[in-house]
Amino acid sequence: MFGALAMAAWVPWLVQRLRRKEATASGTEPEDVPGMERQILKGEAPPEDPARRREMAALVDSRQRRLRRNRWWAFPILTITSFGTAILWFTAGSVTAGGWMLAFAVVFMAWMTWFHLRFDRRLTQMRHRLRN
């Protein structure tokens, strides 16, 4: 219960902190970041205003840089954690739990890879739209 309360307090604070950091890096207001992110993810047309285009380009560059920077350590840790848990279940003698965890690990890592590649592709597409 206390862990859930701590997470309920910590996660909104972390989201706001990241939003302020991205807003500072892109030269926009923190309230504008979610709207710009929605435009990127939905593949909408870039803004017509040159200042807004520069802000969105800075946000795209920041997001893509962070996405690619964290790729080298995040995927191996997720893979080790997911498949390692399945291995622990198998070594503990629980074939059923190990099998379910192995199935979960495969589905989870496939989904994470797809999601990562999709987000990277959308950022690249928006960067091309902003340049043209």
Side-chain angles (χ1 to χ4, degrees), residues 42-119:
K42 291 187 182 240
E44 296 176 3
E48 296 296 324
D49 181 30
R52 296 292 285 174
R53 287 176 82 89
R54 280 191 301 277
E55 292 169 356
M56 186 173 276
L59 179 66
V60 166
D61 290 341
S62 170
R63 285 283 172 99
Q64 201 158 36
R65 198 171 31 253
R66 192 174 71 195
L67 184 71
R68 291 178 177 174
R69 181 184 66 223
N70 294 333
R71 181 185 336 191
W72 73 271
W73 63 266
F75 275 100
I77 287 176
L78 287 172
T79 303
I80 290 168
T81 305
S82 299
F83 288 100
T85 306
I87 292 168
L88 286 175
W89 278 112
F90 283 127
T91 57
S94 181
V95 177
T96 305
W100 279 107
M101 192 61 210
L102 182 62
F104 170 77
V106 169
V107 170
F108 176 69
M109 289 308 298
W111 177 76
M112 285 298 293
T113 302
W114 171 80
F115 188 78
H116 174 81
L117 292 173
R118 177 177 159 257
F119 191 55

Side-chain angles (χ1 to χ4, degrees), residues 5-27:
L5 289 174
M7 288 300 286
W10 181 69
V11 169
W13 174 82
L14 180 67
V15 168
Q16 289 297 324
R17 181 173 162 253
L18 290 173
R19 189 178 289 171
R20 281 191 303 271
K21 187 176 177 182
E22 286 181 337
T24 303
S26 62

